[in-house]
Amino acid sequence: FQPVWNGADPRDPVQQPGAEQPESDDRSSRSKLIRMTLPTRVPRRRVTGPADSLFRYERALQRSGFIGIAGVDEAGRGACAGPLVVGAAILDVTSTRTVRALGELADSKLLTPAARERVYDQVTAHAVGWSTVIGPPREVDRIGRRVANIEGMRRALARLDSHVDYVLSDGFAVPGLAMPNLGVWKGDQVCGCVSAAGVLAKVTRDRIMVELDAQWPQYGFGVHKGYVTSMHREALAEFGPSPVHRQSFAPVRRAQVRHDESGARTELIS
């Protein structure tokens, strides 16, 4: 095609109509024209912020008419020592102040201990309602982890001082509730109220385990928080189980059998 230039300089023979131009100059002119017609600004895509992605479920449910949306989550289900703790929380996701205050909110397992403490304080300060329930080790042994977990979730929801229209939980729906509920895959990573409940449960349990560490320092509860680690296995092998260990866990039972056979006795420091 023949490029058309507006405002040609009559003193420039290259720009005069009908003037002969070398083929290389013609290609150069074409490339210049093409470059000039390219858009100078590329439309930017909207970037979704962390708060938007965390509260999508809550906002979708609110658009469907559900107002009080509670999240529930546990901490310590897989530990062989210490309590099982369940948290529940209702957040006002329509409040800009609340959403901004919970800017660090995330899955409790992905947060540092210091960040969890900060988020805990923000959740307790800005939540519409929140609660925690502590299930002692003996109760977990007596009724089993799954039942203890479900019972703890029911009790935590019942303790909320605000009306609950809908419940979101991590992984599976909570059976036996009077209100509709949904188990969300990786709910503590995609639902803000579930993340908040998980932080409440995790911080509460970690604080308890630090207190237990002061009573039985030989087990290192303040480090591994009661979960099965090499450090914890070595302590069990040397000292045997403590009263806060769960006998329903195989590593604890094996350690108890070995100590019973050897006639050793666990020295409790309290």
Side-chain angles (χ1 to χ4, degrees):
F1 67 92
Q2 188 70 27
V4 178
W5 296 84
N6 294 323
D9 188 348
R11 293 170 299 180
D12 189 349
V14 177
Q15 298 184 19
Q16 292 300 316
E20 294 184 2
Q21 301 178 27
E23 186 178 352
S24 60
D25 292 344
D26 184 61
R27 287 197 299 267
S28 176
S29 299
R30 292 183 185 184
S31 63
K32 289 181 181 178
L33 180 61
I34 293 173
R35 284 199 298 269
M36 290 176 64
T37 57
L38 289 175
T40 58
R41 181 176 178 273
V42 179
R44 293 192 301 176
R45 295 171 58 189
R46 180 178 180 270
V47 179
T48 303
D52 291 329
S53 60
L54 263 183
F55 300 131
R56 285 175 179 171
Y57 278 85
E58 290 92 330
R59 287 170 176 161
L61 287 169
Q62 285 183 340
R63 288 194 295 269
S64 299
F66 299 100
I67 305 302
I69 303 164
V72 63
D73 199 10
E74 54 79 25
R77 181 180 179 183
C80 70
L84 182 141
V85 180
V86 177
I90 302 176
L91 304 177
D92 181 8
V93 299
T94 64
S95 169
T96 303
R97 179 183 178 187
T98 298
V99 172
R100 287 178 179 174
L102 297 176
E104 285 188 282
L105 181 61
D107 178 2
S108 63
K109 296 183 290 296
L110 304 179
L111 298 173
T112 64
R116 280 197 297 266
E117 289 286 347
R118 291 194 300 269
V119 173
Y120 178 94
D121 291 339
Q122 293 297 338
V123 169
T124 56
H126 294 279
V128 176
W130 65 276
S131 68
T132 54
V133 168
I134 301 170
R138 290 185 180 179
E139 181 179 345
V140 177
D141 284 339
R142 181 175 60 85
I143 63 179
R145 282 185 296 171
R146 176 173 172 77
V147 176
N149 189 25
I150 293 173
E151 286 297 320
M153 290 182 172
R154 292 171 180 166
R155 289 162 57 193
L157 291 167
R159 287 188 179 184
L160 292 172
D161 53 8
S162 300
H163 179 71
V164 178
D165 297 316
Y166 204 99
V167 175
L168 294 172
S169 55
D170 180 23
F172 64 92
V174 184
L177 296 181
M179 70 288 292
N181 66 103
L182 175 68
V184 182
W185 175 249
K186 294 188 180 298
D188 49 2
Q189 297 181 20
V190 298
C191 300
C193 58
V194 179
S195 299
V199 170
L200 292 172
K202 176 65 174 172
V203 172
T204 299
R205 187 177 187 278
D206 283 357
R207 292 174 178 177
I208 293 173
M209 297 309 296
V210 170
E211 294 176 357
L212 294 178
D213 184 66
Q215 297 181 51
W216 295 291
Q218 65 267 45
Y219 294 101
F221 290 144
V223 178
H224 51 67
K225 303 301 188 294
Y227 289 91
V228 180
T229 64
S230 57
M231 174 187 178
H232 198 175
R233 289 179 184 273
E234 292 173 3
L236 278 170
E238 182 176 357
F239 301 106
S242 73
V244 295
H245 278 92
R246 303 177 187 174
Q247 293 290 333
S248 55
F249 277 66
V252 178
R253 288 198 305 270
R254 286 196 295 266
Q256 186 67 63
V257 170
R258 285 195 297 267
H259 270 68
D260 289 345
E261 292 175 348
S262 65
R265 185 175 63 89
T266 302
E267 181 182 355
L268 301 182
I269 304 174
S270 58

Coordinates of all heavy atoms in Angstrom, one line a residue, residues 48-142:
T48 N -7.5 -9.1 40.8 CA -8.3 -9.4 42.0 C -7.5 -9.4 43.2 O -6.5 -10.1 43.2 CB -9.0 -10.7 41.8 OG1 -9.8 -10.7 40.6 CG2 -9.9 -11.0 43.0
G49 N -7.8 -8.7 44.2 CA -7.1 -8.6 45.4 C -7.3 -9.8 46.3 O -8.3 -10.6 46.1
P50 N -6.5 -10.0 47.3 CA -6.7 -11.1 48.3 C -8.0 -11.1 48.9 O -8.6 -12.2 49.2 CB -5.5 -10.9 49.3 CG -4.5 -10.1 48.5 CD -5.3 -9.2 47.6
A51 N -8.5 -9.9 49.3 CA -9.8 -9.8 50.0 C -10.9 -10.3 49.1 O -11.8 -11.0 49.6 CB -10.0 -8.4 50.5
D52 N -10.9 -9.9 47.9 CA -11.9 -10.3 46.9 C -11.9 -11.9 46.8 O -13.0 -12.5 46.8 CB -11.7 -9.7 45.6 CG -11.9 -8.2 45.6 OD1 -12.8 -7.8 46.4 OD2 -11.3 -7.5 44.8
S53 N -10.8 -12.5 46.7 CA -10.7 -13.9 46.4 C -11.1 -14.7 47.7 O -11.7 -15.8 47.6 CB -9.3 -14.3 46.0 OG -8.4 -14.0 47.0
L54 N -10.9 -14.1 48.9 CA -11.2 -14.8 50.1 C -12.7 -14.7 50.5 O -13.2 -15.6 51.2 CB -10.4 -14.2 51.3 CG -9.1 -14.9 51.7 CD1 -8.5 -14.3 52.9 CD2 -9.4 -16.4 52.0
F55 N -13.4 -13.7 50.0 CA -14.8 -13.5 50.4 C -15.8 -13.7 49.3 O -16.9 -13.3 49.4 CB -14.9 -12.1 51.0 CG -14.1 -11.8 52.2 CD1 -13.3 -10.7 52.2 CD2 -14.0 -12.7 53.2 CE1 -12.5 -10.4 53.3 CE2 -13.2 -12.5 54.3 CZ -12.4 -11.3 54.4
R56 N -15.3 -14.5 48.2 CA -16.3 -14.7 47.1 C -17.4 -15.5 47.6 O -18.6 -15.3 47.2 CB -15.5 -15.4 46.0 CG -14.6 -14.5 45.2 CD -13.8 -15.2 44.2 NE -12.9 -14.4 43.4 CZ -12.0 -14.8 42.6 NH1 -11.8 -16.1 42.4 NH2 -11.2 -14.0 41.9
Y57 N -17.2 -16.6 48.3 CA -18.3 -17.5 48.7 C -19.3 -16.7 49.6 O -20.5 -16.8 49.4 CB -17.7 -18.7 49.5 CG -17.2 -19.8 48.6 CD1 -15.9 -19.8 48.1 CD2 -18.0 -20.9 48.3 CE1 -15.4 -20.8 47.3 CE2 -17.6 -21.9 47.5 CZ -16.3 -21.9 47.0 OH -15.8 -22.9 46.2
E58 N -18.8 -15.9 50.6 CA -19.7 -15.2 51.4 C -20.5 -14.2 50.7 O -21.7 -14.0 50.9 CB -18.8 -14.4 52.5 CG -18.2 -15.4 53.5 CD -16.8 -15.8 53.1 OE1 -16.5 -15.9 51.9 OE2 -16.0 -16.0 54.0
R59 N -19.9 -13.5 49.7 CA -20.6 -12.5 49.0 C -21.6 -13.1 48.0 O -22.7 -12.6 47.8 CB -19.6 -11.6 48.2 CG -18.9 -10.6 49.1 CD -17.7 -10.0 48.4 NE -17.1 -9.0 49.2 CZ -15.9 -8.5 49.1 NH1 -15.2 -8.9 48.0 NH2 -15.4 -7.6 49.9
A60 N -21.3 -14.3 47.5 CA -22.3 -15.0 46.6 C -23.5 -15.4 47.4 O -24.6 -15.3 47.0 CB -21.6 -16.1 45.9
L61 N -23.2 -15.9 48.6 CA -24.3 -16.4 49.5 C -25.2 -15.2 50.0 O -26.4 -15.3 50.1 CB -23.8 -17.1 50.7 CG -23.2 -18.5 50.5 CD1 -22.4 -19.0 51.7 CD2 -24.3 -19.5 50.1
Q62 N -24.5 -14.0 50.2 CA -25.3 -12.9 50.6 C -26.2 -12.4 49.5 O -27.3 -11.9 49.7 CB -24.4 -11.7 51.1 CG -23.8 -12.0 52.4 CD -22.9 -10.8 52.9 OE1 -22.4 -10.0 52.1 NE2 -22.6 -10.8 54.2
R63 N -25.7 -12.5 48.2 CA -26.6 -12.1 47.1 C -27.8 -13.0 47.0 O -28.8 -12.7 46.4 CB -25.7 -12.1 45.8 CG -24.7 -11.0 45.7 CD -24.2 -10.8 44.3 NE -23.4 -12.0 43.9 CZ -22.1 -12.1 44.0 NH1 -21.4 -11.1 44.6 NH2 -21.5 -13.1 43.6
S64 N -27.6 -14.2 47.5 CA -28.7 -15.2 47.5 C -29.7 -15.0 48.7 O -30.6 -15.8 48.8 CB -28.2 -16.6 47.4 OG -27.4 -16.8 46.3
G65 N -29.4 -14.1 49.6 CA -30.3 -13.8 50.7 C -29.8 -14.3 52.0 O -30.5 -14.1 53.0
F66 N -28.6 -14.9 52.1 CA -28.1 -15.4 53.4 C -27.3 -14.3 54.0 O -26.4 -13.7 53.4 CB -27.2 -16.6 53.2 CG -28.0 -17.8 52.7 CD1 -27.9 -18.2 51.3 CD2 -28.8 -18.6 53.5 CE1 -28.6 -19.2 50.8 CE2 -29.5 -19.7 53.0 CZ -29.4 -20.0 51.7
I67 N -27.5 -13.9 55.3 CA -26.9 -12.8 55.9 C -25.8 -13.3 56.9 O -24.6 -12.9 56.7 CB -27.9 -11.9 56.7 CG1 -29.0 -11.5 55.7 CG2 -27.2 -10.7 57.3 CD1 -28.5 -10.7 54.5
G68 N -26.2 -14.1 57.8 CA -25.2 -14.5 58.8 C -24.5 -15.8 58.3 O -25.0 -16.9 58.4
I69 N -23.3 -15.6 57.8 CA -22.6 -16.8 57.2 C -21.4 -17.1 58.1 O -20.5 -16.2 58.3 CB -22.1 -16.4 55.8 CG1 -23.3 -16.0 54.9 CG2 -21.3 -17.6 55.2 CD1 -22.9 -15.3 53.6
A70 N -21.4 -18.2 58.7 CA -20.4 -18.6 59.7 C -19.4 -19.6 59.0 O -19.8 -20.5 58.2 CB -21.0 -19.3 60.9
G71 N -18.1 -19.5 59.4 CA -17.1 -20.4 59.0 C -16.7 -21.2 60.2 O -16.7 -20.7 61.3
V72 N -16.3 -22.5 60.0 CA -15.9 -23.3 61.1 C -14.7 -24.2 60.7 O -14.6 -24.6 59.5 CB -17.1 -24.2 61.6 CG1 -17.5 -25.2 60.5 CG2 -16.7 -24.9 62.9
D73 N -13.7 -24.3 61.6 CA -12.5 -25.1 61.3 C -11.9 -25.6 62.5 O -12.2 -25.1 63.6 CB -11.6 -24.2 60.5 CG -10.5 -25.1 59.7 OD1 -10.7 -26.3 59.6 OD2 -9.6 -24.5 59.2
E74 N -11.0 -26.6 62.4 CA -10.4 -27.2 63.6 C -8.9 -27.1 63.6 O -8.3 -26.8 62.5 CB -10.8 -28.7 63.7 CG -10.5 -29.5 62.5 CD -9.1 -29.9 62.3 OE1 -8.4 -30.0 63.3 OE2 -8.7 -30.2 61.2
A75 N -8.3 -27.4 64.7 CA -6.8 -27.5 64.8 C -6.5 -28.6 65.7 O -7.1 -28.7 66.8 CB -6.2 -26.1 65.3
G76 N -5.5 -29.4 65.4 CA -5.1 -30.5 66.3 C -5.7 -31.8 66.0 O -5.5 -32.7 66.8
R77 N -6.4 -32.0 65.0 CA -7.1 -33.3 64.7 C -6.1 -34.4 64.5 O -6.2 -35.5 65.0 CB -8.0 -33.2 63.5 CG -8.7 -34.4 63.2 CD -9.6 -34.3 61.9 NE -10.3 -35.6 61.6 CZ -11.1 -35.7 60.6 NH1 -11.3 -34.7 59.7 NH2 -11.7 -36.9 60.3
G78 N -5.0 -34.1 63.8 CA -4.0 -35.1 63.6 C -2.9 -35.2 64.6 O -1.9 -36.0 64.4
A79 N -2.9 -34.4 65.7 CA -1.9 -34.5 66.7 C -2.1 -35.7 67.6 O -3.3 -36.1 67.8 CB -1.9 -33.2 67.5
C80 N -1.0 -36.2 68.2 CA -1.2 -37.4 69.1 C -1.1 -36.9 70.6 O -1.1 -37.8 71.5 CB -0.1 -38.4 68.8 SG 1.6 -37.9 69.3
A81 N -1.1 -35.6 70.8 CA -1.1 -35.1 72.1 C -1.8 -33.7 72.2 O -1.7 -33.0 71.2 CB 0.3 -34.9 72.7
G82 N -2.4 -33.4 73.3 CA -3.0 -32.1 73.4 C -4.5 -32.2 72.9 O -5.0 -33.2 72.4
P83 N -5.2 -31.0 73.1 CA -6.6 -31.0 72.7 C -6.9 -30.9 71.2 O -6.0 -30.5 70.5 CB -7.1 -29.8 73.5 CG -5.9 -28.9 73.5 CD -4.7 -29.7 73.6
L84 N -8.1 -31.1 70.8 CA -8.6 -30.7 69.5 C -9.4 -29.5 69.7 O -10.4 -29.4 70.5 CB -9.5 -31.9 69.0 CG -10.0 -31.6 67.5 CD1 -10.0 -32.9 66.7 CD2 -11.5 -31.1 67.6
V85 N -9.1 -28.4 69.0 CA -9.7 -27.1 69.2 C -10.5 -26.7 67.9 O -10.0 -26.9 66.8 CB -8.7 -26.0 69.5 CG1 -9.4 -24.7 69.7 CG2 -8.0 -26.4 70.8
V86 N -11.7 -26.3 68.1 CA -12.6 -25.9 66.9 C -12.9 -24.4 67.1 O -13.2 -23.9 68.2 CB -13.9 -26.7 66.9 CG1 -14.7 -26.2 65.7 CG2 -13.5 -28.2 66.7
G87 N -12.8 -23.6 66.0 CA -13.1 -22.2 66.0 C -14.3 -22.0 65.0 O -14.5 -22.7 64.0
A88 N -15.1 -20.9 65.3 CA -16.1 -20.5 64.4 C -16.1 -19.0 64.4 O -15.8 -18.3 65.4 CB -17.5 -21.0 65.0
A89 N -16.5 -18.4 63.2 CA -16.4 -17.0 63.1 C -17.5 -16.5 62.0 O -17.7 -17.2 61.0 CB -15.1 -16.5 62.7
I90 N -18.1 -15.4 62.3 CA -18.9 -14.7 61.3 C -18.3 -13.3 61.0 O -18.0 -12.6 62.0 CB -20.3 -14.5 61.9 CG1 -21.0 -15.8 62.2 CG2 -21.2 -13.7 60.8 CD1 -22.4 -15.6 62.9
L91 N -18.1 -13.0 59.8 CA -17.4 -11.8 59.4 C -18.4 -10.9 58.5 O -19.2 -11.5 57.7 CB -16.2 -12.0 58.5 CG -15.1 -12.9 59.2 CD1 -13.9 -13.1 58.2 CD2 -14.6 -12.3 60.4
D92 N -18.3 -9.6 58.7 CA -19.1 -8.7 57.9 C -18.3 -8.3 56.7 O -17.5 -7.4 56.7 CB -19.5 -7.5 58.7 CG -20.4 -6.5 57.9 OD1 -20.8 -6.9 56.8 OD2 -20.6 -5.4 58.4
V93 N -18.5 -9.1 55.6 CA -17.7 -8.8 54.4 C -18.2 -7.6 53.6 O -17.5 -7.2 52.6 CB -17.7 -10.1 53.5 CG1 -17.1 -11.3 54.2 CG2 -19.1 -10.4 53.0
T94 N -19.3 -7.0 54.0 CA -19.7 -5.8 53.4 C -19.1 -4.6 54.0 O -19.2 -3.5 53.4 CB -21.3 -5.6 53.5 OG1 -21.6 -5.5 54.9 CG2 -22.0 -6.8 53.0
S95 N -18.4 -4.7 55.1 CA -17.7 -3.6 55.7 C -16.3 -3.5 55.2 O -15.4 -4.4 55.3 CB -17.6 -3.9 57.2 OG -16.7 -3.0 57.9
T96 N -16.0 -2.3 54.5 CA -14.7 -2.1 54.0 C -13.6 -2.1 55.1 O -12.5 -2.5 55.0 CB -14.6 -0.7 53.2 OG1 -15.6 -0.8 52.2 CG2 -13.3 -0.5 52.6
R97 N -14.0 -1.5 56.3 CA -13.1 -1.5 57.4 C -12.7 -2.9 57.8 O -11.5 -3.1 58.1 CB -13.8 -0.7 58.6 CG -12.9 -0.6 59.8 CD -13.7 0.1 60.9 NE -12.9 0.1 62.1 CZ -13.4 0.5 63.3 NH1 -14.6 1.0 63.4 NH2 -12.6 0.6 64.4
T98 N -13.6 -3.8 57.9 CA -13.3 -5.2 58.3 C -12.4 -5.8 57.3 O -11.4 -6.5 57.7 CB -14.6 -6.0 58.5 OG1 -15.4 -5.4 59.5 CG2 -14.3 -7.4 58.8
V99 N -12.7 -5.7 56.0 CA -11.9 -6.3 55.0 C -10.5 -5.8 55.0 O -9.6 -6.6 54.9 CB -12.6 -6.1 53.6 CG1 -11.7 -6.6 52.5 CG2 -13.9 -6.8 53.5
R100 N -10.4 -4.5 55.2 CA -9.0 -3.9 55.2 C -8.3 -4.4 56.5 O -7.1 -4.7 56.4 CB -9.1 -2.4 55.2 CG -9.5 -1.9 53.8 CD -9.6 -0.3 53.9 NE -9.9 0.2 52.6 CZ -10.2 1.5 52.4 NH1 -10.2 2.4 53.4 NH2 -10.5 1.9 51.2
A101 N -9.0 -4.5 57.6 CA -8.3 -4.9 58.8 C -7.8 -6.3 58.8 O -6.9 -6.7 59.4 CB -9.3 -4.7 60.0
L102 N -8.5 -7.2 57.9 CA -8.1 -8.6 57.8 C -7.3 -8.8 56.6 O -7.4 -9.8 55.9 CB -9.4 -9.4 57.7 CG -10.3 -9.4 59.0 CD1 -11.6 -10.2 58.8 CD2 -9.5 -9.9 60.2
G103 N -6.4 -7.8 56.2 CA -5.6 -7.9 55.0 C -4.6 -9.1 55.1 O -4.2 -9.6 54.0
E104 N -4.2 -9.5 56.3 CA -3.3 -10.6 56.4 C -4.0 -12.0 56.5 O -3.3 -13.0 56.6 CB -2.4 -10.5 57.6 CG -1.3 -9.4 57.5 CD -0.4 -9.5 58.7 OE1 -0.8 -8.9 59.8 OE2 0.7 -10.0 58.6
L105 N -5.3 -12.0 56.5 CA -6.0 -13.2 56.7 C -5.7 -14.3 55.6 O -5.7 -14.0 54.5 CB -7.5 -13.0 56.7 CG -8.5 -14.2 57.0 CD1 -8.2 -14.8 58.3 CD2 -9.9 -13.7 56.8
A106 N -5.4 -15.5 56.1 CA -5.1 -16.6 55.1 C -5.2 -17.9 55.9 O -5.5 -17.9 57.1 CB -3.7 -16.4 54.6
D107 N -5.0 -19.0 55.2 CA -4.9 -20.3 55.9 C -3.9 -20.2 57.0 O -2.8 -19.8 56.8 CB -4.5 -21.3 54.8 CG -4.4 -22.7 55.4 OD1 -4.6 -22.9 56.6 OD2 -4.0 -23.6 54.6
S108 N -4.3 -20.6 58.2 CA -3.5 -20.5 59.4 C -2.1 -21.3 59.2 O -1.1 -20.8 59.8 CB -4.2 -21.0 60.6 OG -4.5 -22.4 60.5
K109 N -2.2 -22.3 58.4 CA -0.9 -23.1 58.2 C 0.1 -22.4 57.4 O 1.3 -22.7 57.4 CB -1.3 -24.5 57.6 CG -2.1 -25.4 58.5 CD -2.4 -26.7 57.8 CE -3.2 -26.6 56.6 NZ -4.6 -26.1 56.9
L110 N -0.4 -21.4 56.6 CA 0.5 -20.6 55.8 C 1.1 -19.3 56.4 O 1.9 -18.6 55.8 CB -0.2 -20.2 54.5 CG -0.8 -21.4 53.6 CD1 -1.5 -20.8 52.4 CD2 0.3 -22.4 53.2
L111 N 0.6 -19.0 57.6 CA 1.0 -17.8 58.3 C 2.1 -18.2 59.3 O 2.2 -19.3 59.9 CB -0.2 -17.2 59.1 CG -1.3 -16.7 58.2 CD1 -2.5 -16.3 59.1 CD2 -0.9 -15.6 57.3
T112 N 3.0 -17.2 59.6 CA 4.0 -17.4 60.6 C 3.3 -17.2 62.0 O 2.2 -16.7 62.1 CB 5.1 -16.3 60.5 OG1 4.5 -15.0 60.7 CG2 5.7 -16.3 59.2
P113 N 3.9 -17.7 63.1 CA 3.3 -17.6 64.4 C 3.0 -16.1 64.7 O 1.9 -15.8 65.3 CB 4.3 -18.2 65.3 CG 5.0 -19.2 64.5 CD 5.1 -18.6 63.1
A114 N 3.9 -15.2 64.4 CA 3.6 -13.8 64.7 C 2.4 -13.3 63.9 O 1.6 -12.5 64.4 CB 4.9 -13.0 64.4
A115 N 2.4 -13.7 62.6 CA 1.2 -13.2 61.8 C -0.1 -13.8 62.3 O -1.1 -13.1 62.3 CB 1.5 -13.6 60.3
R116 N -0.1 -15.0 62.7 CA -1.3 -15.7 63.3 C -1.8 -14.9 64.5 O -3.0 -14.7 64.6 CB -1.0 -17.1 63.6 CG -1.1 -18.1 62.4 CD -1.3 -19.5 62.9 NE -0.1 -20.0 63.7 CZ 0.9 -20.6 63.2 NH1 1.0 -20.8 61.9 NH2 1.9 -21.0 63.9
E117 N -0.9 -14.5 65.3 CA -1.3 -13.7 66.5 C -1.9 -12.4 66.1 O -2.9 -12.0 66.7 CB -0.1 -13.5 67.4 CG 0.5 -14.7 68.1 CD -0.4 -15.1 69.3 OE1 -1.3 -14.4 69.7 OE2 -0.3 -16.3 69.8
R118 N -1.3 -11.7 65.1 CA -1.9 -10.5 64.7 C -3.3 -10.7 64.1 O -4.2 -9.9 64.4 CB -1.0 -9.8 63.6 CG 0.3 -9.3 64.2 CD 1.0 -8.4 63.2 NE 1.3 -9.0 61.9 CZ 2.5 -9.6 61.7 NH1 3.4 -9.7 62.6 NH2 2.7 -10.2 60.5
V119 N -3.4 -11.7 63.2 CA -4.7 -12.0 62.6 C -5.8 -12.4 63.7 O -6.9 -12.0 63.6 CB -4.6 -13.1 61.5 CG1 -6.0 -13.5 61.0 CG2 -3.7 -12.6 60.4
Y120 N -5.3 -13.1 64.7 CA -6.2 -13.5 65.8 C -6.8 -12.3 66.4 O -8.0 -12.2 66.7 CB -5.4 -14.4 66.8 CG -6.3 -14.8 68.0 CD1 -6.9 -16.0 68.0 CD2 -6.4 -14.0 69.1 CE1 -7.6 -16.4 69.1 CE2 -7.1 -14.3 70.2 CZ -7.7 -15.6 70.2 OH -8.5 -15.9 71.3
D121 N -5.9 -11.3 66.7 CA -6.4 -10.1 67.4 C -7.4 -9.3 66.5 O -8.4 -8.8 67.0 CB -5.2 -9.2 67.7 CG -4.3 -9.8 68.8 OD1 -4.8 -10.6 69.6 OD2 -3.2 -9.4 68.9
Q122 N -7.1 -9.3 65.2 CA -8.0 -8.6 64.2 C -9.3 -9.3 64.1 O -10.4 -8.6 64.0 CB -7.3 -8.4 62.9 CG -6.1 -7.5 62.9 CD -6.4 -6.1 63.2 OE1 -7.6 -5.6 63.1 NE2 -5.4 -5.4 63.7
V123 N -9.3 -10.6 64.0 CA -10.6 -11.4 63.9 C -11.4 -11.2 65.2 O -12.6 -10.9 65.1 CB -10.3 -12.9 63.7 CG1 -11.6 -13.7 63.9 CG2 -9.7 -13.1 62.3
T124 N -10.8 -11.3 66.4 CA -11.6 -11.1 67.6 C -12.1 -9.7 67.7 O -13.2 -9.5 68.4 CB -10.8 -11.5 68.8 OG1 -9.6 -10.7 68.8 CG2 -10.4 -13.0 68.8
A125 N -11.4 -8.7 67.1 CA -11.8 -7.3 67.2 C -12.9 -7.0 66.3 O -13.8 -6.1 66.6 CB -10.6 -6.4 67.1
H126 N -12.9 -7.6 65.1 CA -13.8 -7.1 64.0 C -14.9 -8.1 63.6 O -15.8 -7.8 62.8 CB -13.0 -6.8 62.7 CG -12.1 -5.6 62.9 ND1 -12.5 -4.3 62.8 CD2 -10.8 -5.5 63.2 CE1 -11.5 -3.5 63.0 NE2 -10.4 -4.2 63.3
A127 N -14.8 -9.3 64.1 CA -15.8 -10.3 63.7 C -17.2 -10.0 64.3 O -17.3 -9.4 65.4 CB -15.4 -11.7 64.2
V128 N -18.2 -10.3 63.6 CA -19.6 -10.1 64.1 C -19.8 -11.1 65.3 O -20.5 -10.7 66.3 CB -20.6 -10.4 63.0 CG1 -22.1 -10.4 63.5 CG2 -20.4 -9.4 61.8
G129 N -19.3 -12.3 65.2 CA -19.3 -13.2 66.3 C -18.2 -14.3 66.1 O -17.8 -14.6 65.0
W130 N -17.7 -14.8 67.2 CA -16.7 -15.8 67.2 C -16.7 -16.6 68.4 O -17.2 -16.2 69.5 CB -15.3 -15.2 67.0 CG -14.8 -14.4 68.1 CD1 -15.0 -13.1 68.3 CD2 -13.9 -14.8 69.2 NE1 -14.4 -12.6 69.5 CE2 -13.7 -13.7 70.0 CE3 -13.3 -16.0 69.5 CZ2 -12.9 -13.8 71.2 CZ3 -12.6 -16.1 70.7 CH2 -12.4 -15.0 71.5
S131 N -16.2 -17.9 68.3 CA -16.1 -18.8 69.5 C -15.1 -19.8 69.3 O -14.7 -20.1 68.1 CB -17.5 -19.4 69.7 OG -17.8 -20.3 68.7
T132 N -14.7 -20.5 70.3 CA -13.7 -21.6 70.3 C -14.2 -22.7 71.3 O -14.8 -22.4 72.3 CB -12.3 -21.2 70.6 OG1 -12.3 -20.6 71.9 CG2 -11.7 -20.3 69.6
V133 N -14.0 -23.9 70.9 CA -14.4 -25.1 71.7 C -13.1 -26.0 71.9 O -12.5 -26.2 70.9 CB -15.5 -25.8 71.1 CG1 -15.7 -27.2 71.8 CG2 -16.8 -25.0 71.2
I134 N -12.8 -26.4 73.1 CA -11.6 -27.2 73.3 C -12.1 -28.6 73.7 O -12.8 -28.8 74.7 CB -10.8 -26.6 74.5 CG1 -10.4 -25.2 74.1 CG2 -9.6 -27.5 74.8 CD1 -9.7 -24.4 75.2
G135 N -11.6 -29.6 72.9 CA -11.9 -31.0 73.2 C -10.7 -31.7 73.8 O -9.7 -31.8 73.2
P136 N -10.7 -32.1 75.1 CA -9.6 -32.6 75.7 C -9.2 -34.0 75.1 O -10.0 -34.6 74.5 CB -10.0 -32.8 77.2 CG -11.5 -32.8 77.1 CD -11.9 -32.0 76.0
P137 N -7.9 -34.4 75.3 CA -7.4 -35.7 74.7 C -8.3 -36.9 75.1 O -8.5 -37.7 74.3 CB -6.0 -35.8 75.3 CG -5.6 -34.4 75.6 CD -6.9 -33.7 76.1
R138 N -8.7 -36.9 76.3 CA -9.5 -38.1 76.8 C -10.9 -38.2 76.0 O -11.3 -39.3 75.7 CB -9.8 -38.1 78.3 CG -8.5 -38.3 79.1 CD -8.8 -38.4 80.6 NE -7.6 -38.6 81.4 CZ -7.6 -38.7 82.7 NH1 -8.7 -38.6 83.4 NH2 -6.5 -38.9 83.3
E139 N -11.4 -37.1 75.7 CA -12.7 -37.1 74.9 C -12.4 -37.5 73.5 O -13.2 -38.3 72.9 CB -13.3 -35.7 74.9 CG -14.6 -35.6 74.1 CD -15.2 -34.2 74.2 OE1 -14.8 -33.4 75.0 OE2 -16.1 -33.9 73.3
V140 N -11.3 -37.1 72.9 CA -10.9 -37.5 71.6 C -10.7 -39.1 71.6 O -11.2 -39.8 70.7 CB -9.7 -36.8 71.1 CG1 -9.2 -37.3 69.7 CG2 -9.9 -35.3 71.0
D141 N -10.1 -39.6 72.6 CA -9.9 -41.0 72.7 C -11.2 -41.8 72.9 O -11.4 -42.8 72.3 CB -9.0 -41.4 73.9 CG -7.5 -41.1 73.6 OD1 -7.1 -41.0 72.4 OD2 -6.7 -40.9 74.6
R142 N -12.1 -41.2 73.6 CA -13.4 -41.9 74.0 C -14.3 -42.0 72.8 O -14.9 -43.0 72.5 CB -14.1 -41.2 75.1 CG -15.4 -41.8 75.6 CD -15.9 -41.1 76.8 NE -16.2 -39.7 76.6 CZ -17.3 -39.2 76.0 NH1 -18.3 -40.1 75.7 NH2 -17.5 -37.9 75.8

